[in-house]
Amino acid sequence: MTNLLEFDNIHYAYPNCPASLSGVTFSIKKGARVALVGPNGAGKTTLMLMCNGVLEPSKGRVLLDGEPLRYDSRSLREVRKKVGMVFQNSDTQLFAPTVYQDVAFGPLNLGMEPAEIKKVVARALLEVGLAGYEKRPPHQLSGGEKKRAAIAGTLAMDPEILVFDEPTSSLDPAGAADLMELLDELNVKGATIIISTHDVELAYLWADQIILINKGTVLHTGTPEEVFTDPSLVTSSNLRMPAVLELYTELVSRQMVKKTQSPKSVLQLVSSLEENFRKPGADRVIGTITVCDVDATGTGEIKAWIADHPGLRCGAMGTRAKNLAERESIALDFTYGVIDKGILRALVGENSILLTPASMVPHVFRRVETYCRESGNTISVVCLNNTPHQSPSPGDMKEGDQKE
Amino acid sequence: MKLMGDNLDYYAQANALRDVNSYLKLILGMGAILVCVVSPGPVAPLLILVTLSAITLVFAKIPVRVYVELLHIPLLFAFFSVIVILFLSGGGEPVLTFSIANVPLTATSGSANLAFLVLVRTFGGMCGLFFIALTTPMIEIFSVMHTLRVPPVLIDLSMLIYHFIFVFIGQSIAIHNAQTIRHGYTSFKRSLNSMAMLGAMLFIRAWKEAEDLIIAMDSRCYDGKLELPGQQNPPKPVAVASVAVYLCLCIAVAIMTSTIVPFR
């Protein structure tokens, strides 16, 4: 795959200040989930503002699709259409008197027709789960809703790359988990996503490429496992090891688990532990995971199905599914890390149903399939509304696995 | 800290007449204000202040407490002006005479009539203004401005000013809190000092906010277009008719009662 965005030996200094970037080089592939990790003042924000040409490097080049950025206003327009930016402080981004007008700002300035703007805005708001908020003034929204509105404003311009500056910094844990699910959903739909953060847990779990920067230089570019298992890298950039990884290294040094691939999640750690500590001969009942596409299933059908299956664990992914659960007063057992939780429950013999938006259904199948292949367990996943295009065929699987 | 701006805006967004056509609401409010100001006698303004308050409280479902709280500020001002008018203007028979510290004060029937007229005019006018402010969100007023062909630059400016009011309120609360918890307002001298600092910081922060805003707008391909006309619900014929009847009634009352004066 080609490099979508490239930074080539970037130097930058704010006027009358010491250099804030000195020789930054890295590249990002299409469809990647990139986390720019570094301590406060490392130059993350400066770097992000270069992605869409707000700042011009004093030396070096930024390449988008292999073309160096040019800084005249017409070229910048094209760049900003491709690279959407969501700022840390949503208040600066939301300046129009209503959510509708704010989301419509980008499309309006791109010269779209009113009818098209209406369509685009409705789609963007639906995607972030804010349908029905059109007439609300942004200053009356909660922090999480503001963030979503800001994202909708960017999505309305249909960018290829989405850049988020500290997306979870002002959100509560549930709001942050929601947001990261939204980013997953957007990524699955094909967007390349770059976030800046100093939340190591988040970066470790979510990203597939970490760019570690400190004092204006890139310390390392690589997979989360590479970056976070290297103690010298972790300490030199004022970070700390993610809890799962720390637990894993301690367990390995006590020979309680075999040293294999570093676990990314609680699920992976639990499976490695189970390999060693499972009582032999014990009969194992494995539960089923049912996936329910909330966009295609009637609420009555979902409620009836849940009523028919007592003792069921219930999880929801994404705002639309969660809103639906709240509206229909379906009690949710898991609201974040839903697929992993479903697998963990299945391993102790409990059945679960996962409410997801349509775009995430294949993702659930892929994720469980990958787990089954790695662990040797068999967990069956079924679709509640068994329409043919959603059930996994072997062809789908392979394609999906290569993408991961 | 309780903020009136928050209150007003909140009720403008949440009241029961929110979705009624804004032109209708504006015509009703403005019409009432005009009748109040023009009416030569005090009966029409009295009628307007009673009926419009009733409309605001009953139809728009604004809580009485909020309404009274909002009205008492301008009324306090009006009350003091009325006292001055009562004793400074003249004409007619003396109604009340007394002296404070050897200064004789006299209220005549003419001055009493004028004072009463000014009071009810202000009162009625304020009811009209608050009817608009409490039922029509700023956004709707922007869209009305747009259809009335107000120059776009003015509308854009008003929209940004509207946005920055809330930025200002938020920032000043934050700074004020930060100062209060470190005893910034414990004595008069310190309060002055803190207040000056707050002002200076607000200016700097507003400047920075404006710079960030430009970056945010540029990142979304800002090309000089900001305003978007909102959609209006078409007015219901019954509503149009009742507004027309109400305003005609007010005008008729103003004309017919123009000679009635309360003090002779």
Side-chain angles (χ1 to χ4, degrees), chain B residues 62-169:
Chain B
I62 303 294
V64 181
R65 184 186 51 77
V66 176
Y67 193 64
V68 172
E69 220 169 273
L70 279 174
L71 264 179
H72 93 267
I73 304 170
L75 283 187
L76 221 62
F77 277 98
F79 184 70
F80 285 120
S81 330
V82 160
I83 288 178
V84 174
I85 293 172
L86 189 61
F87 292 111
L88 283 190
S89 62
E93 300 293 307
V95 185
L96 186 67
T97 314
F98 62 96
S99 61
I100 296 175
N102 287 333
V103 181
L105 290 170
T106 308
T108 62
S109 61
S111 72
N113 282 332
L114 184 61
F116 186 69
L117 183 61
V118 168
L119 187 68
V120 289
R121 269 184 181 173
T122 324
F123 206 151
M126 285 322 292
C127 287
L129 202 60
F130 279 126
F131 170 77
I132 296 176
L134 285 166
T135 58
T136 319
M138 277 310 289
I139 321 140
E140 307 283 333
I141 295 177
F142 295 142
S143 95
V144 171
M145 281 162 81
H146 181 84
T147 25
L148 294 180
R149 297 182 194 277
V150 174
V153 68
L154 277 182
I155 305 177
D156 290 2
L157 263 180
S158 337
M159 279 166 78
L160 287 177
I161 290 169
Y162 176 68
H163 164 73
F164 271 101
I165 287 173
F166 295 99
V167 173
F168 254 63
I169 292 175

Side-chain angles (χ1 to χ4, degrees), chain A residues 25 41 56 82 92 103 118 203 217 234 270 289 305 343 362 380 401:
Chain A
T25 303
E56 185 175 355
K82 275 190 186 166
T92 41
V103 176
K118 213 170 165 183
T217 53
V234 171
V270 168
I289 298 174
W305 201 87
I343 298 175
S380 55
D401 288 346

Side-chain angles (χ1 to χ4, degrees), chain A residues 49 52 54 77 80-81 83 85 87 89 91-98 100-106 108-111 117-118 135-137 139-140 153-154 157, chain B residues 6 9-11 13 18-19 138-140 142 159-160 162-163 166-167 208-209 212-213 215-231 233:
Chain A
L49 288 176
N52 71 349
V54 171
R77 238 173 113 78
R80 287 169 183 164
K81 224 158 81 179
V83 184
M85 175 93 88
F87 293 87
N89 182 358
D91 284 319
T92 41
Q93 195 159 353
L94 302 168
F95 46 82
T98 62
Y100 180 87
Q101 280 170 307
D102 199 89
V103 176
F105 177 79
L108 178 75
N109 278 292
L110 288 175
I117 293 178
K118 213 170 165 183
K135 283 195 167 177
R136 298 271 293 273
H139 55 85
Q140 280 183 6
T154 310
M157 297 165 67
Chain B
D6 256 1
D9 193 64
Y10 171 77
Y11 289 109
Q13 297 289 347
R18 164 77 165 83
D19 291 328
M138 277 310 289
I139 321 140
E140 307 283 333
F142 295 142
M159 279 166 78
L160 287 177
Y162 176 68
H163 164 73
F166 295 99
V167 173
K208 201 186 156 335
E209 284 278 345
D212 289 349
L213 180 69
I215 292 181
M217 288 166 85
D218 275 346
S219 291
R220 284 158 74 189
C221 299
Y222 181 52
D223 195 24
K225 287 183 212 130
L226 197 64
E227 102 292 334
L228 252 191
Q231 291 91 16
N233 292 335

Side-chain angles (χ1 to χ4, degrees), chain A residues 181 315-322 335 338-339 355-357 360 363-364:
Chain A
E181 267 171 18
M317 246 173 144
T319 320
R320 253 174 295 154
K322 282 173 194 166
T335 50
V338 171
I339 309 177
L355 311 175
T356 69
M360 293 305 269
H363 182 68
V364 176

Side-chain angles (χ1 to χ4, degrees), chain A residues 2-21:
Chain A
T2 52
N3 288 333
L4 188 56
L5 187 68
E6 256 182 282
F7 279 69
D8 182 16
N9 193 28
I10 298 286
H11 289 255
Y12 185 78
Y14 286 98
N16 308 322
C17 286
S20 65
L21 295 177

